Amino acid sequence: MPRVFTPVDISKEEKEIRKDYFDRHTPVIICDERAIEGEKFRVKIRMGTEYAHPDDLDHFIQYLQLWNRETLMAEAHFSPGSLGNLPEHAEVDFYIVPGPVSMNLSAMAVCTKHGLWQSESKEVPVRKK
């Protein structure tokens, strides 16, 4: 079982280097607060908020995944150089169609040098049409 890194509150970190490390590796879920059953729902996953991640041949974000509880909903793979070989916030928009029950979304990301990282989960209520 690989080690999974989880988010930390970087405002409590004292050293800038640690803030940089945690922020650039932690995926963030960006979406509306509510969804409508049976209608497309956009979920953006972005790597970090303040610090960009490298896009080098041997150090890049390999993939981003969207999970609803224990179900893998979507996945995007990246190749080295996909972001122009420049530090950048890897991001992807997924469109899913919610069922009748609330969603508990989370994101997973793999850095080729620093392993598997998990976002904070986000509860999204689903209402009927």
Side-chain angles (χ1 to χ4, degrees):
M1 178 73 147
R3 180 174 177 197
V4 178
F5 297 95
T6 56
V8 295
D9 183 355
I10 65 171
S11 66
K12 294 181 181 176
E13 291 296 325
E14 294 178 24
K15 295 185 178 179
E16 194 67 21
I17 191 79
R18 286 182 56 84
K19 288 182 183 182
D20 178 340
Y21 179 74
F22 288 125
D23 183 73
R24 77 172 61 201
H25 287 100
T26 304
V28 177
I29 294 177
I30 303 165
C31 65
D32 290 340
E33 296 300 315
R34 298 181 185 283
I36 299 172
E37 180 183 356
E39 291 187 9
K40 269 197 237 183
F41 182 70
R42 182 177 68 91
V43 180
K44 179 185 289 293
I45 299 176
R46 181 175 190 206
M47 290 304 295
T49 55
E50 295 179 43
Y51 301 92
H53 192 278
D55 182 34
D56 299 328
L57 187 59
D58 64 340
H59 185 197
F60 63 98
I61 298 300
Q62 189 172 25
Y63 64 81
L64 298 174
Q65 296 177 329
L66 174 63
W67 291 80
N68 182 18
R69 295 182 175 80
E70 296 84 26
T71 302
L72 176 63
M73 301 297 290
E75 182 174 67
H77 288 258
F78 298 90
S79 299
S82 295
L83 303 174
N85 296 113
L86 299 170
E88 186 57 73
H89 294 278
E91 65 181 31
V92 65
D93 288 348
F94 293 118
Y95 291 84
I96 59 175
V97 178
V101 296
S102 68
M103 298 182 289
N104 188 322
L105 302 176
S106 62
M108 301 291 282
V110 167
C111 168
T112 55
K113 272 196 175 177
H114 300 107
L116 183 62
W117 292 75
Q118 182 175 4
S119 72
E120 292 182 11
S121 60
K122 182 165 185 165
E123 190 72 26
V124 179
V126 177
R127 67 177 172 91
K128 301 227 181 266
K129 286 187 179 183

